[in-house]
Amino acid sequence: MKKLVMSLAVAGAIFAAPTVTDAMSMGDRGGDVRELQQTLADEGYNNASNVDGVFGPLTLAAVQRYQLSNGISSPAGNFYGVAGPATQSSLGLADGSSASSSSSTSSTSNTQVAGTSSSSDASAMISTARSLIGSPYVWGGMSPSGFDCSGFINYVFNQHGESLPRTVAQMWSAGTPVSNPQPGDIVFFETRTGPSHSGIYLGNNEFIHSGASTGVTISNLSSNPYWSSAYIGARSF
């Protein structure tokens, strides 16, 4: 399944932190990200100009280079590009005992495969989403008269009694990472820096979303090169 096993990128580092921070991924921001970037720069894996506290493609590439060079992960690994406990510990950002215990917890949470909703709930949600195909794109829109991408997802989930964060970045941070999305999960894309577009996964590499030029429509992750290259991961709720 093209791109759907793409590892999530993470950032989180400290000049001398006593404990392990949570694993961070593409789109994360803040002091932990800045410290990770600086530590990678000190080690020669990141450009000093890329110390801005935003985990984007340059930070992802730096983490991947460090993991490859130090035998932590590879392109075949589930956590390639994820600055989890093993990467943080190797960088000297946490002690080994904390990293070991956190690694077990992180591994459990990050390898979850299925979403939290039952298949019947997902089916009903997808039916609602499909009924909205053709609704126009409207910036900030949250009703059938017009949706932006996160407004569309919020509307569909709200129809089934579930409340989600309003923005794409907030949804990315709040959801549970899944390596292989299931129908009803949310797939995310980096169309600008960090997670900036999202849709509801339908299965068979398809997702439904409100596109700026299309309104609510169904697109394919594998056959559409734009979406396959922009895909950064999935979350369940």
Side-chain angles (χ1 to χ4, degrees):
M1 188 180 291
K2 184 175 180 181
K3 291 291 182 179
L4 296 184
V5 294
M6 176 179 179
S7 296
L8 304 175
V10 260
I14 271 187
F15 294 119
T19 58
V20 175
T21 61
D22 291 337
M24 289 171 285
S25 60
M26 180 80 79
D28 286 340
R29 297 167 179 261
D32 286 344
V33 174
R34 184 183 297 275
E35 289 164 338
L36 173 65
Q37 292 170 328
Q38 183 62 59
T39 304
L40 288 168
D42 293 343
E43 295 288 332
Y45 293 92
N46 186 34
N47 193 305
S49 64
N50 180 43
V51 180
D52 57 4
V54 179
F55 199 113
L58 294 178
T59 304
L60 169 61
V63 170
Q64 290 173 334
R65 285 194 295 271
Y66 181 81
Q67 291 174 327
L68 276 174
S69 297
N70 292 273
I72 296 171
S73 189
S74 70
N78 288 334
F79 304 110
Y80 185 52
V82 174
T87 300
Q88 292 179 38
S89 180
S90 177
L91 283 166
L93 304 176
D95 62 66
S97 59
S98 296
S100 176
S101 61
S102 297
S103 178
S104 175
T105 301
S106 174
S107 176
T108 299
S109 63
N110 281 284
T111 55
Q112 181 174 341
V113 173
T116 56
S117 301
S118 69
S119 58
S120 59
D121 290 340
S123 178
M125 190 179 298
I126 287 171
S127 293
T128 298
R130 287 181 178 274
S131 73
L132 298 166
I133 290 175
S135 295
Y137 180 90
V138 173
W139 176 258
M142 294 187 68
S143 73
S145 61
F147 295 106
D148 63 16
C149 67
S150 57
F152 169 66
I153 293 172
N154 269 265
Y155 179 86
V156 172
F157 274 70
N158 283 339
Q159 298 309 299
H160 296 272
E162 295 192 44
S163 178
L164 298 184
R166 175 62 179 93
T167 69
V168 173
Q170 289 168 342
M171 286 191 287
W172 171 265
S173 297
T176 300
V178 290
S179 56
N180 295 304
Q182 303 298 305
D185 288 342
I186 300 177
V187 289
F188 291 84
F189 305 86
E190 185 178 29
T191 57
R192 300 185 299 276
T193 301
S196 47
H197 189 73
S198 56
I200 301 171
Y201 188 66
L202 303 177
N204 297 319
N205 277 352
E206 293 186 327
F207 67 101
I208 186 168
H209 63 121
S210 182
S213 62
T214 62
V216 177
T217 189
I218 293 174
S219 298
N220 193 288
L221 274 166
S222 59
S223 64
N224 186 313
Y226 177 80
W227 295 118
S228 63
S229 63
Y231 177 75
I232 58 172
R235 298 287 192 263
S236 68
F237 288 86

